[in-house]
Amino acid sequence: MALIVPSLRRERLLWNEGLARVVGVDEVGVAPTCGAVVAAAVVMRPGCHRIPGVRDSKTLSALQRERLAPLIRKRAVAVGVGAASVAEIDRLNIYHATKLAMRRAIARVGEYDHVLIDGNRITGFEAYVGPYTAIVDGDAKVYTIACASVVAKVVRDRMMGLLAARYPGYGWEHNQGYATRVHRDGIRRLGLTPFHRRSFLALQRTLAGDQATLDLFGEATEAAREDLDAAVFELEFAGVG
């Protein structure tokens, strides 16, 4: 099946209405069981041409994303990256934490006229970001959203690679925190880190009927978790400028 190539049709409609600063937004890291959720916001100049090869980050290899991300940053008028920490995910739930990451990313692009987001409409989102359009499969269909998906994915993968060096044995440098066999085996052998989403793992354990004798909630004092949640933001943005 042929891959969908994102177009600038949505952006052109807005540019033709005089809305010059159109922001494309996407997030990554919703499904993994550890690490922050990361969002990116990208503004391209009106009348720009697409960078060949840019599409939904899920359809690209890591090497392709690493090649495209700096090109996107070079061509963009503005790029913003935002994240929600593990503590925020566990406290707010992943849905609300994801929207928080998106709002933080949008806030970092400066002034703008309209926002394009991937997915369905979000109740009350206008109160935080102003006029916006939600597009199902927007990361596959809309160029600026596809650009945002590439930037966000590269940032989060680098973050997970840095965390893998601090917490070896879970395979995060390869699985980016998804619940692969290597990751699950690492949890059974090593226990949890402060970067595991305990709200996710408790649910996974229930659904999977996991009988492993792990203390899912006993690790790390709250102070230690707060310190590490602050440190994760330094990791997330390391080397992404």
Side-chain angles (χ1 to χ4, degrees):
M1 187 172 68
L3 292 169
I4 300 173
V5 177
S7 76
L8 283 158
R9 184 178 70 84
R10 294 276 188 163
E11 292 89 341
R12 288 193 186 102
L13 290 173
L14 295 166
W15 292 337
N16 289 341
E17 294 177 9
L19 305 177
R21 289 180 68 94
V22 176
V23 187
V25 184
D26 199 17
E27 83 291 326
V28 298
V30 172
T33 57
C34 63
V37 60
V38 177
V42 174
V43 180
M44 290 292 181
R45 64 174 178 79
C48 69
H49 297 289
R50 290 185 296 107
I51 300 169
V54 169
R55 57 179 187 267
D56 176 7
S57 64
K58 295 186 293 294
T59 69
L60 299 169
S61 68
L63 285 175
Q64 288 172 319
R65 292 191 295 265
E66 288 284 351
R67 179 182 65 82
L68 289 167
L71 295 177
I72 292 167
R73 287 177 173 277
K74 184 176 180 180
R75 298 267 193 98
V77 173
V79 174
V81 177
S85 70
V86 171
E88 288 171 324
I89 292 169
D90 284 343
R91 184 172 72 250
L92 301 173
N93 78 38
I94 187 61
Y95 175 82
H96 292 295
T98 298
K99 306 319 167 194
L100 178 60
M102 293 169 66
R103 285 161 43 195
R104 287 170 172 166
I106 294 166
R108 290 189 170 101
V109 299
E111 294 184 2
Y112 57 87
D113 300 308
H114 196 88
V115 176
L116 301 173
I117 68 168
D118 177 41
N120 298 305
R121 287 194 65 81
I122 305 164
T123 302
F125 204 53
E126 302 97 328
Y128 298 101
V129 305
Y132 80 97
T133 303
I135 302 150
V136 175
D137 295 328
D139 49 4
K141 299 174 182 176
V142 179
Y143 177 69
T144 51
I145 298 178
C147 288
S149 77
V150 172
V151 172
K153 177 65 173 166
V154 168
V155 170
R156 190 175 191 280
D157 284 359
R158 289 180 184 174
M159 177 197 78
M160 294 309 299
L162 290 167
L163 285 176
R166 291 176 59 181
Y167 297 94
Y170 300 94
W172 291 346
E173 66 275 27
H174 303 299
N175 59 45
Q176 289 79 46
Y178 285 91
T180 63
R181 180 180 293 278
V182 170
H183 190 177
R184 295 195 307 271
D185 288 346
I187 292 172
R188 292 187 179 97
R189 286 186 295 104
L190 304 169
L192 299 183
T193 73
F195 289 99
H196 278 99
R197 302 173 182 176
R198 278 146 172 82
S199 55
F200 274 41
L201 288 161
L203 177 62
Q204 273 198 358
R205 188 184 187 193
T206 300
L207 294 176
D210 192 341
Q211 298 303 308
T213 55
L214 291 174
D215 178 4
L216 291 182
F217 300 95
E219 345 257 321
T221 65
E222 188 60 29
R225 288 196 72 195
E226 289 175 358
D227 288 344
L228 286 164
D229 280 324
V232 77
F233 286 94
E234 297 178 13
L235 292 169
E236 284 158 5
F237 300 108
V240 300

